[in-house]
Amino acid sequence: MGLDDHDRDRERDVSVGEEAERHLAAAERRRGLLLALPAYAYMVVFFAVPLVIVFAYSFSTRSRTGDPTFSEVGFDAYRKLAEPLIRNVAVRSAILAGVTTVICLLLAYPFAYFVATRKPTARNLLLVAVMIPFWTNFLVRNYAWRVILSTGGPISGVTEAIGLGETDLLFSRTAVVIGLVYSFLPFMILPMYASIERIDWQLVEASRDLYCSGWRSFTKVVLPLSMPGVIAGSILVFVPSLGAYVTPAILGGNKEPLLGEYIVGQFLTARNWPVGASLSFVLMTVMLGATLVYFRSGGKNL
Amino acid sequence: MSTTGRRGGVGGWLLAGNGGLVLLFLYAPIILLVIFSFSGAKDPGVWGGFTLDWYRDLGGDRNVQKAIGVSVRVALVSTIVATVLGTMAALALERFEFRGKRIFDALLYLPIIIPDVTMAVMMLLFFTKSFDLIDAMFGTRIGKGFATVVVSHVAFNIAFVSVVVRARVAGMDSTLEQAAADLYSTRWQAFRHVTLPLIMPGVLGGSLLALTLSLDDVVVTQFVSGPGSTTLPVYVFGLIRRDVTPLINAVSVVMLVASLVLVVASLVAQRASEGRRRRELIITGEE
Amino acid sequence: MKRHVAPLGAALLIVLAACGGDDDGGAASASDCEVDGTDGDLALYNWSEYLDPELISSFESQYDVSVTEDFYDSNEAMQPVIAAGSSGYDVIVPSDYMVSILVEGGDVMALNKDAIPNYSNLSDEFGSGLPYDPDGEFVAPYQWGTTGLGVDKTVLGEDFPRSWGLVFDPDLVAEYGTAGKISMLNDPRETMGAALKYLGYSLNTTSQEELDEARDLVRAAVDSIAAFDSDSYDENIGSGQTAVAHGYSGNFFTQFDGADDPSQYEYFVPDEGGTRWVDNMAVVADAPHPCTAHTFINFLLDPENGAALTNWNYYASPNAASEPFIEAAILEDPAIYPTDLSKLEFISDTGDFEVNFSDAYTEARG
């Protein structure tokens, strides 16, 4: 009998504990929701709703004057995306974006590492130094590169002076890559820096104590710990490069149609809103899918 | 703390060298820009003798001045709002579980991957339809202008701020916050004195990014602004279509100097407040 | 939260769509506008560097209003903003083919000619009978010009064929060594149009065969083309980056005039023909200040003001009464005021075929 009482008491304690935990968890969820609410509400009203509106337009048809109309609805705009014309444009853009991202990675990582390992004053100064060029106008910066790369520019001047003749780098794929890397390098540097900066260097010291070489401590300790920054930076560079159109226009001479220019062309020049909308949506879905997949696998390994 | 990550010897020199090269790469066009803003030739690639004419023209060009004013105000307001909302979102996503979290997560990636022109078109449609609706329901006519530009900028900037802050929070040691929770009596104090300082580099990085994106935005702004709310990039975009002269260089240099002043001022203010806080801590004996 | 978002969003969407459609509710009326009357400040939406700021100041002081001028860089960037309604603009400056689209969409209002007495200053061919506004109801022509080729004679010499072959004929390109020094406009209609003209077709064709021929011609020429550029073609030829450039008349003249040796350059419309375009002033259908808009148009149609426009931007004026005030050098230049208009065509909207033009242009480049 005494044992039964004891058992019953213990059951009550356990269930009281469980209930308390549930209350705490619910309180946590409420707090989380409250914290997220302002941004969440803002995004729903000022982003999700407009997006749904345009999504609806991807099912409309182009009227004779170019304005979209809902008198006929259908999947025509999506069917058009299967054509080889668009496939070529997409593949070309993906390759260009990939090359840009890789180059940014290679340049930014050592730089971010360097900045993260300076004293606080130097760190802040360097970060600001990275951002300053980007407070001039985007278009003007692209034009400046145009001057640098043209036959009348400094690079050509140098090669002419040393007898190599004039260099015309302008209006080429190289010029576009240079322009894109230039435009998006800070997007890679900043997240990487944020990630590297908070690494606990005692872990590195520990790995050195365990007889890891400098390189191994880097690959086994620093690199994995800085992964969130690498991933964030890669996304921030790859995606806008994929849709870029100002830089290819100014530095590449529009010689090869890319996704960004094609989508702008559908909305503005051809005034074919259904296809502009459908292509945008497919592009976003693919990118979103890739991002989520990447995060799922990358996130688990951390 | 992090200075123990410094590499010595060859590695260190290579790193510093790479740092220098990157900075050179970043600044080459800027230096060119500044130099040619003083050039007398109409063609911005050709040197035509030193002159201050373009700056003088700038002083008399009220279109440009108005555009600069609009750009700066839009950028400041949208950056502040986006930083606050974006940081809150980042913390909520990394530290809490709640209903609808997955959708929120996905929603915050969309502004990053959406093509400019799609966002421009969707905001235009949204605003015009909403204004029609408001007109039908309340009889008041709202027009596009400063507010619609700011609202649109915040809409994409929240996402960028949250990505940067999340990268920072993601690997952060949450035991520090738990310890703070043990030592401090309220969540708010734990946030203010432990979490916030720890995520500050991410928050600053995110807000710098937002500021830049707002100042640079062309397509979205062009579609959602109204008469009198033309920003500088939109103005320059139109100008470039017709006539490229070093006036544009002069404009850029002015913007650059203005941003520099802004940043220096905020850094000085931050230092001052940090100094004050340290003094407070000393006085209360906590340091 | 998740449970509520979807239905809320759907409800909002349905309501918005239901209240959507073109903005007819806010149509303004100009029927009461008087000559020189104003009803508030002017909001102007124009191409950049197209209107002398001094003219604007002059208008402001003469009528005691202030003018806000915003800029667009293409008809297609301006059109959605206007068509969506409530743009806040009073006067816009659409090109010929865009006028038909705006009229069809109900986005511009019929002009009240009583408030624009200077309309009669327009020369006969511009006052009425324009393909995009036959009765002269909706717009008043602003400036007109041609699209053709600008060349650097230090590369081509004096004796070259004034033909599109300079771009499309590989023999000519080889002869003059201009490979990689040619630029074409980044505009499907203009660039495909040039190819069509060279082949002897109309640039408003709706024949897929003809368009395909033009596409293949452009594709074959892409290797010798340095860039497809509608913004800096004039600067590029000025800096020597290119030697043959496809572009608009007035831009070239402004560029050449500022060069060290203007006689080094020449602009012409090739013998096979080219584009003639007219930019026009229109009043937005829901303009907040229609009367001031009409007065502004009337102001620009004044003989001296019309001449000032041309003397400033080097485009041709449609205003007959302005002739005495235009600089002789400009008036007599056949490149600005072409004497033979037979080979020139206006670009007109080809309806759904626009998509074909755009796709052909994309395919031609890769």
Side-chain angles (χ1 to χ4, degrees):
Chain A
M1 200 164 52
L3 228 58
D4 282 340
D5 278 342
H6 208 61
D7 280 341
R8 242 180 289 130
D9 279 346
R10 219 172 335 165
E11 272 177 22
R12 221 185 316 129
D13 284 344
V14 167
S15 69
V16 162
E18 272 179 6
E19 242 191 87
E21 263 195 50
R22 263 204 304 274
H23 273 293
L24 267 173
E28 277 296 286
R29 273 203 304 274
R30 260 198 308 273
R31 223 175 257 130
L33 193 57
L34 270 173
L35 191 60
L37 199 56
Y40 205 160
Y42 194 96
M43 293 303 286
V44 167
V45 173
F46 294 113
F47 194 85
V49 169
L51 203 60
V52 171
I53 296 179
V54 169
F55 184 61
Y57 273 92
S58 70
F59 297 104
S60 66
T61 34
R62 183 190 192 275
S63 71
R64 227 197 45 84
T65 54
D67 288 327
T69 167
F70 284 98
S71 54
E72 278 175 51
V73 290
F75 286 91
D76 279 344
Y78 288 95
R79 265 191 280 268
K80 172 137 190 205
L81 299 184
E83 287 173 24
L85 169 67
I86 296 187
R87 236 183 303 138
N88 288 343
V89 173
V91 167
R92 199 182 299 126
S93 306
I95 294 176
L96 192 68
V99 169
T100 304
T101 308
V102 168
I103 295 182
C104 277
L105 266 169
L106 294 174
L107 282 177
Y109 200 97
F111 189 81
Y113 187 94
F114 178 71
V115 177
T117 53
R118 300 303 105 194
K119 296 208 185 51
T121 345
R123 249 187 279 150
N124 286 338
L125 268 167
L126 279 169
L127 279 180
V128 169
V130 165
M131 296 306 299
I132 287 175
F134 295 83
W135 292 329
T136 53
N137 187 274
F138 177 61
L139 283 164
V140 183
R141 272 181 277 132
N142 276 292
Y143 268 91
W145 270 109
R146 192 184 208 156
V147 172
I148 295 179
L149 295 173
S150 70
T151 50
I155 294 185
S156 189
V158 166
T159 55
E160 275 176 67
I162 53 180
L164 284 177
E166 67 172 25
T167 344
D168 191 358
L169 283 172
L170 197 53
F171 301 140
S172 65
R173 246 192 211 181
T174 318
V176 177
V177 172
I178 292 178
L180 288 175
V181 167
Y182 184 82
S183 302
F184 298 121
L185 200 53
F187 290 16
M188 183 69 86
I189 293 177
L190 286 178
M192 271 188 177
Y193 158 79
S195 216
I196 296 177
E197 197 269 343
R198 58 123 190 96
I199 289 179
D200 186 356
W201 295 102
Q202 294 179 330
L203 291 169
V204 179
E205 272 192 52
S207 79
R208 299 302 289 264
D209 289 342
L210 292 170
Y211 301 107
C212 270
S213 69
W215 182 248
R216 281 200 82 194
S217 352
F218 175 72
T219 50
K220 293 288 184 190
V221 181
V222 179
L223 195 56
L225 284 177
S226 60
M227 260 315 157
V230 172
I231 293 176
S234 303
I235 294 174
L236 285 180
V237 172
F238 184 80
V239 173
S241 305
L242 194 64
Y245 78 102
V246 173
T247 305
I250 295 181
L251 295 174
N254 277 318
K255 298 234 339 225
E256 290 180 315
L258 295 168
L259 271 176
E261 184 216 329
Y262 190 78
I263 294 179
V264 172
Q266 292 309 296
F267 277 118
L268 296 190
T269 318
R271 278 172 296 113
N272 192 356
W273 285 34
V275 172
S278 68
L279 186 54
S280 304
F281 267 88
V282 169
L283 191 63
M284 282 195 294
T285 312
V286 167
M287 289 308 312
L288 188 65
T291 310
L292 290 176
V293 164
Y294 197 21
F295 261 93
R296 286 290 157 75
S297 57
K300 290 246 171 65
N301 287 340
L302 285 175
Chain B
M1 275 185 310
S2 36
T3 52
T4 58
R6 279 179 188 245
R7 327 240 349 160
V10 178
W13 279 112
L14 276 176
L15 273 181
N18 168 266
L21 274 172
V22 169
L23 281 175
L24 183 68
F25 176 62
L26 288 177
Y27 276 87
I30 308 301
I31 296 172
L32 209 81
L33 210 65
V34 173
I35 293 178
F36 280 100
S37 70
F38 297 106
S39 153
K42 269 195 82 183
D43 183 347
V46 172
W47 179 255
F50 186 88
T51 174
L52 286 173
D53 281 348
W54 303 113
Y55 290 95
R56 249 190 296 262
D57 286 349
L58 195 53
D61 188 336
R62 52 180 209 171
N63 278 331
V64 174
Q65 288 165 358
K66 217 176 350 163
I68 293 180
V70 172
S71 271
V72 168
R73 273 177 293 145
V74 166
L76 282 177
V77 175
S78 65
T79 301
I80 292 173
V81 176
T83 304
V84 170
L85 291 180
T87 307
M88 287 169 74
L91 285 169
L93 284 169
E94 289 292 324
R95 286 273 177 267
F96 294 88
E97 289 298 323
F98 49 91
R99 274 206 297 258
K101 175 172 169 172
R102 293 249 280 271
I103 292 192
F104 189 36
D105 199 340
L107 199 55
L108 279 177
Y109 281 115
L110 289 176
I112 300 180
I113 61 183
I114 194 172
D116 277 354
V117 70
T118 310
M119 176 135 194
V121 164
M122 80 189 205
M123 296 313 285
L124 175 68
L125 286 174
F126 172 73
F127 286 128
T128 33
K129 304 284 187 213
S130 315
F131 293 161
D132 284 348
L133 189 66
I134 292 175
D135 193 16
M137 294 201 317
F138 302 113
T140 32
R141 294 228 106 194
I142 315 181
K144 297 195 294 290
F146 184 81
T148 49
V149 178
V150 171
V151 167
S152 308
H153 284 207
V154 173
F156 61 73
N157 272 334
I158 291 181
F160 283 94
V161 172
S162 84
V163 162
V164 176
V165 177
R166 279 184 81 177
R168 174 79 178 173
V169 175
M172 236 174 72
D173 191 357
S174 62
T175 57
L176 281 168
E177 289 170 305
Q178 286 173 27
D182 292 340
L183 293 168
Y184 287 85
S185 50
T186 68
R187 297 292 295 253
W188 172 246
Q189 283 179 316
F191 174 74
R192 248 194 87 205
H193 296 286
V194 180
T195 318
L196 195 57
L198 282 173
I199 61 171
M200 204 35 103
V203 173
L204 276 179
S207 64
L208 277 179
L209 188 62
L211 190 74
T212 311
L213 288 173
S214 176
L215 283 175
D216 257 352
D217 185 67
V218 178
V219 184
V220 175
T221 312
Q222 183 166 28
F223 275 63
V224 304
S225 62
S229 59
T230 307
T231 58
L232 189 66
V234 173
Y235 183 74
V236 170
F237 200 48
L239 205 67
I240 275 179
R241 186 87 180 184
R242 290 276 155 164
D243 198 16
V244 185
T245 64
L247 179 69
I248 299 176
N249 294 34
V251 169
S252 306
V253 172
V254 168
M255 283 291 276
L256 194 60
V257 171
S259 325
L260 267 176
V261 168
L262 198 77
V263 167
V264 167
S266 71
L267 277 178
V268 166
Q270 199 188 14
R271 278 290 204 69
S273 78
E274 260 171 43
R276 213 183 317 123
R277 210 153 31 112
R278 217 165 266 140
R279 282 194 296 276
E280 282 171 9
L281 288 172
I282 291 173
I283 289 169
T284 60
E286 277 176 310
E287 199 164 63
Chain C
M1 183 84 191
K2 184 160 109 179
R3 263 177 297 156
H4 299 295
V5 169
L8 187 68
L12 198 57
L13 175 67
I14 292 168
V15 174
L16 284 178
C19 300
D22 235 339
D23 181 45
D24 301 291
S29 168
S31 45
D32 299 327
C33 290
E34 302 168 353
V35 183
D36 289 343
T38 58
D39 54 354
D41 296 330
L42 187 74
L44 174 64
Y45 203 21
N46 194 5
W47 304 77
S48 45
E49 302 288 299
Y50 215 7
L51 187 52
D52 187 355
E54 280 188 28
L55 265 179
I56 295 188
S57 311
S58 167
F59 178 75
E60 284 178 320
S61 44
Q62 193 173 333
Y63 292 95
D64 197 25
V65 293
S66 75
V67 175
T68 326
E69 193 181 10
D70 281 348
F71 306 98
Y72 52 86
D73 64 308
S74 72
N75 285 299
E76 290 78 7
M78 171 266 288
Q79 190 254 351
V81 173
I82 301 298
S86 310
S87 62
Y89 294 111
D90 299 307
V91 174
I92 52 176
V93 187
S95 305
D96 33 45
Y97 67 96
M98 186 49 73
V99 173
S100 353
I101 295 169
L102 288 168
V103 168
E104 213 173 311
D107 300 313
V108 293
M109 65 163 71
L111 293 175
N112 176 0
K113 296 292 178 54
D114 294 334
I116 310 182
N118 283 335
Y119 193 90
S120 52
N121 288 341
L122 289 168
S123 63
D124 292 335
E125 59 174 320
F126 288 105
S128 64
L130 289 165
Y132 51 88
D133 186 16
D135 302 320
E137 257 190 274
F138 292 98
V139 298
Y142 175 73
Q143 292 286 75
W144 65 276
T146 54
T147 316
L149 289 176
V151 298
D152 185 346
K153 291 197 284 196
T154 55
V155 175
L156 292 181
E158 287 283 347
D159 249 341
F160 54 93
R162 269 100 180 132
S163 150
W164 290 114
L166 286 173
V167 177
F168 297 117
D169 183 348
D171 296 328
L172 283 176
V173 173
E175 186 184 331
Y176 290 101
T178 47
K181 291 202 163 289
I182 302 175
S183 81
M184 297 294 286
L185 284 174
N186 184 29
D187 182 321
R189 292 303 307 273
E190 291 278 13
T191 296
M192 300 310 288
L196 284 166
K197 278 309 216 189
Y198 180 68
L199 291 167
Y201 302 133
S202 156
L203 49 77
N204 291 312
T205 183
T206 46
S207 147
Q208 187 65 46
E209 277 164 20
E210 291 175 8
L211 190 59
D212 285 343
E213 263 191 74
R215 175 200 64 199
D216 294 334
L217 193 66
V218 174
R219 186 182 274 147
V222 165
D223 286 332
S224 18
I225 295 178
F228 291 89
D229 188 343
S230 300
D231 301 332
S232 336
Y233 55 85
D234 43 354
E235 275 100 34
N236 285 337
I237 196 174
S239 69
Q241 184 85 21
T242 53
V244 176
H246 181 204
Y248 306 108
S249 46
N251 277 24
F252 278 120
F253 290 113
T254 315
Q255 177 73 29
F256 297 162
D257 228 38
D260 292 330
D261 177 17
S263 65
Q264 173 186 351
Y265 303 102
E266 187 181 317
Y267 167 80
F268 58 90
V269 177
D271 297 330
E272 298 92 348
T275 318
R276 183 181 176 215
W277 49 265
V278 181
D279 285 337
N280 310 267
M281 299 177 280
V283 181
V284 181
D286 59 355
H289 320 106
C291 294
T292 315
H294 279 73
T295 304
F296 184 67
I297 294 179
N298 194 43
F299 171 81
L300 286 177
L301 287 173
D302 170 86
E304 287 187 44
N305 293 332
L309 262 179
T310 293
N311 290 335
W312 190 78
N313 62 29
Y314 290 100
Y315 286 103
S317 173
N319 192 333
S322 291
E323 269 177 51
F325 302 102
I326 298 178
E327 286 171 24
I330 295 179
L331 210 50
E332 284 153 24
D333 191 336
I336 303 183
Y337 278 91
T339 40
D340 178 15
L341 299 172
S342 58
K343 291 275 184 44
L344 300 172
E345 276 190 270
F346 282 113
I347 289 183
S348 64
D349 183 46
T350 55
D352 289 328
F353 204 71
E354 289 292 312
V355 180
N356 302 51
F357 266 101
S358 165
D359 283 346
Y361 179 62
T362 305
E363 280 168 8
R365 288 174 299 144

